[in-house]
């Protein structure tokens, strides 16, 4: 993945999470991964198109998703209902959109696809041939792993 | 009893899950010989057949059952059970045998087994090396053991069994020095007396291990010549003291001089001119370059300038990648603080507020990527690959993989530049460098 793409994603994830969760956000060590990997329970996916092809996946545990949605909505949510899903989808959208805006300022043109959300147990993503950058974020509500795979169009 | 059954079933499920989680990169055809499960790499299996009535060949080895006409092609039939001294059931005259038709390089032949099972997909890393006390089949013909769904499979190395020569040569090319080969290696000084040679081999072995453990430096055919030359220098440097490398600093000292000229700085005039001279003549308008292990990016910028000079009208694209995030992050925005840029680079640089940097058209030619070369490389077919001193820091198996990838990605008349002390004297490559530049083309 191009070096120029990394910071916009890391920064916007940090900024958006800090803004919506109002807490202490920590960023973990970035690393690359290219194997199939388990999904923690809730995964929001945003596709990227334009100069590049790729996707951003936001992965978290169900408990964390509920806590994050509760914090963002200002009420206690305990079941994975439409509101929770819509909230997490919106969070994914906010982070990706802000990253894409930053990239646009740097001269890279990306388009977004509408986000999709997946929930369930024992899920796994296997796009093994795609190398992904993993940005682990620690929030007071739990861990979110942002999995960014972007490739130049050949 | 029932409980035990459940436990096994559950275990199988867990195993299956685990297996699915891992990438399947090795498939084998499994079969039974004298009640035991075996596997053969599917890449060596051409087809599965049932046949009988083989034509007896007089005076052939006992395990050769005869020849067989496979759709017009006459192939030899080998009874694997006899070959491995396993009990074989004698079938009636004319009964059909289970045959695996194997293809190794350009040779096709059939082997008879008791029963053919299925195709099993596994991850290469789950193959465990055979234990030397294995009986039945000579251990050197076993590639490894693997567990799948609670069954153990012995994977046979058919290339070694049926093509002993070809395989051994190939192994040698990568494998750690074999004493016999070392003696033939011209870089080993002849004045070393034989008793010393044995000691040296031991010392060399320890140094190899230390370099791998302390600095991830893997000795292999790629750097063997340098490694041995350095060992002779090392003996002089240590003059009688302990030769072993005990900590990182000593390993660094040993590796001093391994790195190519101008590592971590812009290439000097004579080096970059030599580099320019080995660049291939490219007909097309676009020039694709792959620069894995570009580190801080000095190498990439140097290459970009040389290419711009050599192909002023070409559309140059360089995919430069490194798996060190810190190094690669600095690469795209490199600024130099010198008063006047070196002569060679002057025309490609502009002066800004913070110092000198490269012109926009040079910047646009380079994609710096945070990427691990061991993951899928999505670079397009390349005219040039520049990979200095990176291969040596991969383990020998990965080196092999990456070199294969080079061969795949490099265009027909392309050139691959490796480190000054690295050699690609392997099958399929021929030297294309001059003097200080070590380069190879596809043979």
């Amino acid at each position: 993945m191009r070096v120029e793409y990394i910071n916009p994603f890391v920064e916007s994830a940090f900024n958006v999470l800090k803004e919506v969760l109002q807490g202490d956000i920590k960023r973990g060590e970035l690393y690359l991964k290219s194997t199939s990997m388990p999904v923690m329970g809730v995964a929001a996916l945003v596709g990227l198109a334009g100069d590049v092809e790729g996707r951003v996946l936001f992965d978290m545990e169900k408990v964390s998703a509920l806590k994050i949605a509760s914090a963002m909505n200002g009420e206690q949510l305990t079941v994975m209902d439409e509101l929770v899903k819509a909230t997490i989808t919106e969070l994914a959208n906010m982070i990706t959109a802000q990253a894409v805006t930053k990239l646009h300022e740097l001269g890279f043109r990306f388009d977004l696809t509408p986000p999709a959300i997946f929930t369930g147990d024992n899920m796994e993503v296997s796009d093994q041939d795609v190398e992904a950058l993993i940005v682990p974020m620690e929030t007071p509500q739990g861990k979110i792993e942002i999995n960014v795979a972007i490739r130049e169009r050949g | 009893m029932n409980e035990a059954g459940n436990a096994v079933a559950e275990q199988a499920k867990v195993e299956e899950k685990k297996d699915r989680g891992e990438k399947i990169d090795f498939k084998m055809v499994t079969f039974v010989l004298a009640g035991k499960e075996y596997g053969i790499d599917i890449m060596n299996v051409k087809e599965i057949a049932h046949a009988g009535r083989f034509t007896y060949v007089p005076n052939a080895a006992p395990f050769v059952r005869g020849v067989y006409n496979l759709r017009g092609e006459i192939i030899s039939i080998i009874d694997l059970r006899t070959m491995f001294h396993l009990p074989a059931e004698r079938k009636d005259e004319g009964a059909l045998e289970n045959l695996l038709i194997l293809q190794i390089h350009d040779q096709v032949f059939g082997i008879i087994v008791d029963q053919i099972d299925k195709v099993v997909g596994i991850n290469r890393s789950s193959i465990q090396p055979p234990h030397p006390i294995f009986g039945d089949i000579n251990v050197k013909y076993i590639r490894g053991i693997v567990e799948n769904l609670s069954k153990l499979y012995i994977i046979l190395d058919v290339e070694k069994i049926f093509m002993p020569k070809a395989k051994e040569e190939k192994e040698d090319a990568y494998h750690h020095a074999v004493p016999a080969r070392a003696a033939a290696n011209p870089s080993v000084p002849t004045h070393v007396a034989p008793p010393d040679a044995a000691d040296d081999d031991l010392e060399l072995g320890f140094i190899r291990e230390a370099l791998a453990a302390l600095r991830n430096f893997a000795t292999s055919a790629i750097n063997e010549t340098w490694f041995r030359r350095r060992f002779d220098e090392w003996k002089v440097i240590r003059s009688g003291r302990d030769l072993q490398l005990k900590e990182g600093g000593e390993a660094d000292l040993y590796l001093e001089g391994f790195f190519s000229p101008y590592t971590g700085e812009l290439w000097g005039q004579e080096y970059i001119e030599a580099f320019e001279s080995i660049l291939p003549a490219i007909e097309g308008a676009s020039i694709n370059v792959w620069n894995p292990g570009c580190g801080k990016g000095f190498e990439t910028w140097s290459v970009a300038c040389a290419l711009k000079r050599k192909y002023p009208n070409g559309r140059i694209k360089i995919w430069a990648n490194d798996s060190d995030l810190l190094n690669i992050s600095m690469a795209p925005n490199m600024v130099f603080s010198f008063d006047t840029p070196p002569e060679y680079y002057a025309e490609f640089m502009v002066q800004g507020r913070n110092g000198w940097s490269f012109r926009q058209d040079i910047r646009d030619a380079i994609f710096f990527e945070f990427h691990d070369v061991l993951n899928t490389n999505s670079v397009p077919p390349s005219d040039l690959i520049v990979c200095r001193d990176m291969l040596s820091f991969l383990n020998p198996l990965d080196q092999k993989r990456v070199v294969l990838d080079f061969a795949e990605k490099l265009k027909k008349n392309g050139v691959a530049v490796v480190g000054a002390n690295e050699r690609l004297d392997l099958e399929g490559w021929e030297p294309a460098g001059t003097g200080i530049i070590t380069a190879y083309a596809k043979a």
Side-chain angles (χ1 to χ4, degrees), chain A residues 8-9 12 46-49 56 93-112 150:
Chain A
F9 278 100
S12 60
V46 186
L48 298 172
V56 189
N93 216 4
M94 281 163 81
I95 296 177
T96 320
Q98 202 182 98
V100 167
T101 311
K102 280 177 201 252
L103 285 163
H104 205 98
E105 283 159 14
L106 294 171
F108 301 106
R109 270 214 296 286
F110 287 27
D111 291 324
L112 296 186
I150 307 178

Side-chain angles (χ1 to χ4, degrees), chain B residues 257-268 270-271 299 388-389 418-421 436-438:
Chain B
F258 170 77
F259 297 97
S260 304
Y262 304 105
T263 293
E265 54 184 325
L266 286 178
W267 291 0
E270 82 294 350
Y271 191 78
E299 179 175 287
R388 301 191 315 157
D389 308 334
V418 293
N421 291 308
I436 46 179
I437 306 282
T438 316

Side-chain angles (χ1 to χ4, degrees), chain A residues 18-34:
Chain A
K18 195 160 181 70
E19 198 185 311
V20 302
L21 299 175
Q22 304 286 339
D24 188 20
I25 311 289
K26 279 200 210 78
R27 175 175 68 75
E29 199 74 29
L30 308 185
Y31 60 97
L32 293 168
K33 204 165 181 179
S34 119

Side-chain angles (χ1 to χ4, degrees), chain A residues 9-28 68 71 91 95 135-144 146:
Chain A
F9 278 100
V10 176
E11 276 171 25
S12 60
F14 190 86
N15 294 344
V16 170
L17 289 174
K18 195 160 181 70
E19 198 185 311
V20 302
L21 299 175
Q22 304 286 339
D24 188 20
I25 311 289
K26 279 200 210 78
R27 175 175 68 75
I68 290 168
L91 178 66
I95 296 177
V135 186
M137 302 296 280
E138 290 280 353
T139 75
Q141 285 77 14
K143 196 169 70 177
I144 303 182
I146 306 171

Side-chain angles (χ1 to χ4, degrees), chain B residues 73 85 95 144 150 224 247 256 262 314 357 366 374 386-387 392 398:
Chain B
E73 197 176 350
H85 310 293
S150 332
E224 188 66 24
E247 37 91 26
E256 213 171 76
Y262 304 105
S357 59
I366 306 176
L374 299 177
V386 179
C387 177
S392 296
D398 289 337

Side-chain angles (χ1 to χ4, degrees), chain A residues 1-4 6 30-36 122 124 128-133 150-154, chain B residues 17 20-24 319 322-323 325 328-329 332 366-373 375-376 378:
Chain A
M1 190 167 103
R2 278 189 78 163
V3 178
E4 290 91 335
I6 298 175
L30 308 185
Y31 60 97
L32 293 168
K33 204 165 181 179
S34 119
T35 47
S36 56
N122 288 326
E124 190 183 278
Q128 320 186 319
D129 284 347
V130 180
E131 183 182 58
L133 170 78
I150 307 178
R151 165 163 91 188
E152 302 306 301
R153 258 176 209 285
Chain B
K17 229 188 202 165
R20 269 194 290 129
E22 276 176 356
K23 188 175 171 178
I24 289 177
W319 275 261
D322 203 282
S323 59
L325 184 57
I328 191 84
S329 313
I366 306 176
F367 294 153
F368 281 108
E369 294 184 315
F370 176 42
H371 165 66
D372 189 334
V373 74
N375 293 338
T376 311
S378 55

Side-chain angles (χ1 to χ4, degrees), chain B residues 131-395:
Chain B
H131 195 275
I133 59 167
F134 278 169
D136 293 358
I137 294 176
N138 196 329
V139 128
K140 69 178 177 197
Y141 296 144
I142 297 177
R143 182 159 171 174
I145 312 292
V146 75
E147 192 192 357
N148 187 275
L149 304 180
S150 332
K151 264 190 189 169
L152 281 179
Y153 293 97
I154 298 174
I155 305 175
L156 296 179
D157 192 335
V158 284
E159 295 202 15
K160 241 187 204 162
I161 301 173
F162 298 108
M163 307 272 140
K165 283 243 177 64
K167 179 78 182 186
E168 267 161 35
E169 268 170 28
K170 223 161 94 193
E171 288 259 300
D172 264 13
Y174 288 101
H175 226 271
H176 290 173
V178 175
R181 204 178 165 81
N185 193 324
S187 68
V188 178
T190 43
H191 60 82
V192 176
D196 275 1
D199 284 354
D200 276 3
D201 275 339
L202 196 67
E203 296 279 9
L204 276 167
F206 286 133
I207 293 179
R208 283 177 209 281
E209 278 167 23
L211 288 175
L214 297 167
R215 285 295 176 261
N216 284 324
F217 182 91
T219 53
S220 71
I222 286 173
N223 47 41
E224 188 66 24
T225 316
W226 173 83
F227 176 68
R228 291 195 167 256
R229 197 176 61 222
R230 180 66 182 163
F231 181 67
D232 293 330
E233 289 170 12
W234 188 243
K235 280 192 284 193
V236 177
I237 294 170
R238 303 291 275 216
S239 58
R241 277 176 297 143
D242 185 7
L243 291 175
Q244 291 313 311
L245 315 173
K246 284 177 289 299
E247 37 91 26
E250 287 180 321
D252 288 338
L253 212 60
Y254 193 95
L255 290 178
E256 213 171 76
F258 170 77
F259 297 97
S260 304
Y262 304 105
T263 293
E265 54 184 325
L266 286 178
W267 291 0
Q269 185 90 13
E270 82 294 350
Y271 191 78
I272 199 160
E273 276 169 1
F275 172 74
E276 215 182 298
S277 75
I278 61 124
L279 290 174
I282 294 169
E283 289 146 23
S286 71
I287 296 129
N288 290 333
V289 182
W290 182 19
N291 181 206
C294 66
K296 292 194 169 72
F298 290 98
E299 179 175 287
T300 319
W301 292 111
S302 306
V303 167
C305 294
L307 290 169
K308 202 79 193 168
R309 202 171 260 249
K310 173 98 176 181
Y311 317 107
N313 301 317
R315 219 175 31 252
I316 299 161
K317 277 207 170 142
I318 306 177
W319 275 261
N321 51 253
D322 203 282
S323 59
D324 186 324
L325 184 57
L326 215 61
N327 280 344
I328 191 84
S329 313
M330 317 294 278
N333 298 310
M334 197 173 270
V335 179
F336 299 85
S337 56
F338 35 58
D339 294 334
T340 45
E343 196 192 327
Y344 190 92
Y345 301 96
E347 60 170 306
F348 304 112
M349 299 188 95
V350 285
Q351 195 168 18
R353 252 177 310 146
N354 305 320
W356 290 86
S357 59
F358 286 95
R359 238 165 45 189
Q360 193 61 38
D361 59 327
I362 302 276
R363 289 165 169 276
D364 290 344
I366 306 176
F367 294 153
F368 281 108
E369 294 184 315
F370 176 42
H371 165 66
D372 189 334
V373 74
L374 299 177
N375 293 338
T376 311
N377 293 303
S378 55
V379 293
S382 305
D383 299 282
L384 177 71
I385 293 175
V386 179
C387 177
R388 301 191 315 157
D389 308 334
M390 184 202 81
L391 290 171
S392 296
F393 292 89
L394 302 175
N395 76 46

Side-chain angles (χ1 to χ4, degrees), chain B residues 90-102:
Chain B
R90 268 279 152 211
K91 288 199 173 159
D92 298 336
E93 184 71 29
L96 299 185
E97 298 276 18
N98 290 313
L99 277 182
L100 280 173
I101 311 292
L102 305 184

